[in-house]
Amino acid sequence: MKYLNYILSVLTAAAVGTVIGSVYQTTKNYNIFRQNNPVIETNKTNSSYVIRDCDGMLALYRGNAEKPFMILEYKTSFLNEYDRSLVSEGISVPDSRAMRILIEDLTG
């Protein structure tokens, strides 16, 4: 029985280490993607959609509109520091597909 418990504890530790390593690598790749993605631009005036903060929530704007056409039920305080800084400036995307991808990236 002790041998079985030992094997289970080793396997559990290995699984936890694998998950932590995977999360770290995913986060690292995600941040590299976010920083190098040419679709994502901040503060551009000719874009179709802009995602930015509205009273602490993620909000979607069409072009240069002053009022959002949709406020998402997602607090900007949940975002990491880098994404929060981009959202505070406003992230411009060219079309609805890019907007959906960005929303999924931010909230996923």
Side-chain angles (χ1 to χ4, degrees):
M1 188 66 158
K2 284 185 179 182
Y3 184 69
L4 181 60
N5 286 338
Y6 174 75
I7 290 174
L8 288 175
S9 65
V10 168
L11 290 175
T12 302
V16 168
T18 301
V19 168
I20 290 172
S22 176
V23 168
Y24 172 77
Q25 188 62 40
T26 300
T27 302
K28 183 178 172 186
N29 290 342
Y30 171 75
N31 286 333
I32 290 169
F33 166 78
R34 300 277 297 132
Q35 292 170 359
N36 296 322
N37 190 338
V39 172
I40 298 171
E41 303 173 6
T42 55
N43 243 352
K44 298 292 181 186
T45 58
N46 60 351
S47 66
S48 295
Y49 298 98
V50 177
I51 300 172
R52 64 177 180 256
D53 183 279
C54 179
D55 297 327
M57 304 295 277
L58 280 181
L60 311 177
Y61 296 79
R62 285 190 180 99
N64 294 328
E66 292 186 23
K67 293 184 179 182
F69 72 90
M70 183 183 295
I71 297 176
L72 304 176
E73 293 185 25
Y74 193 87
K75 294 181 180 182
T76 55
S77 61
F78 295 157
L79 299 172
N80 64 48
E81 186 177 329
Y82 176 74
D83 288 340
R84 229 182 355 262
S85 69
L86 290 177
V87 168
S88 70
E89 295 176 31
I91 304 173
S92 299
V93 291
D95 54 36
S96 61
R97 180 178 180 274
M99 179 184 62
R100 284 191 304 272
I101 292 169
L102 180 58
I103 291 169
E104 186 176 313
D105 286 345
L106 291 170
T107 61

